[in-house]
Amino acid sequence: MTAASHANDTSDCTDLAREQIQMLTNRNTRSPAYLNEKGNIKTNFERALGTGLPKDLPLLLFVVAENKQTPEWLELHHRQAASVTNGTVVPCPASTTSTTRTRGRSLTGSGTGGGTADASLEHARD
């Protein structure tokens, strides 16, 4: 599922959060950097093979717990987290995008459900 299709899955969000998610999705998926990365993903992926993250980089990964298309997905992320000093994997029952949007407030401690867009992205309208 793409970021654009996730933007439509906002049943647990306020109207303001829904509007901000759509704005950010549009801005991010149409940016020159995103389009360049999308066009070069195969080459960039091949170049990144065999590289790693800096040991002192704190790493927090929200990962789909059961990926039917790539069963080793969770284990790959556990190995990635183990490669740094402070790495944590949070297995999620849904995609990373929908989990952070629908459970964002409960994950950050700023309320329950509905995502974090209301407070943290208020300035996005400017």
Side-chain angles (χ1 to χ4, degrees):
M1 199 175 280
T2 65
S5 64
H6 276 296
N8 296 324
D9 179 24
T10 58
S11 58
D12 292 339
C13 296
T14 65
D15 288 341
L16 176 60
R18 237 180 257 110
E19 179 185 345
Q20 291 174 338
I21 290 166
Q22 188 62 55
M23 256 188 334
L24 292 170
T25 298
N26 290 341
R27 184 193 72 190
N28 293 338
T29 59
R30 294 181 181 139
S31 73
Y34 178 88
L35 294 173
N36 177 277
E37 179 64 24
K38 189 174 176 184
N40 293 295
I41 196 160
K42 184 176 191 274
T43 302
N44 291 343
F45 183 80
E46 289 169 353
R47 287 181 182 164
L49 288 174
T51 64
L53 299 168
K55 285 276 192 203
D56 61 346
L57 177 73
L59 188 61
L60 177 60
L61 300 169
F62 293 90
V63 183
V64 176
E66 268 188 62
N67 185 322
K68 292 180 180 157
Q69 291 179 319
T70 311
E72 68 278 8
W73 193 246
L74 185 59
E75 176 54 34
L76 289 170
H77 287 82
H78 278 293
R79 283 188 293 190
Q80 187 178 29
S83 73
V84 297
T85 305
N86 183 11
T88 303
V89 175
V90 178
C92 301
S95 75
T96 305
T97 303
S98 65
T99 298
T100 55
R101 180 170 52 248
T102 61
R103 292 184 52 216
R105 288 183 185 166
S106 63
L107 292 170
T108 62
S110 60
T112 57
T116 58
D118 289 345
S120 64
L121 301 176
E122 187 78 46
H123 67 280
R125 292 177 180 235
D126 299 334

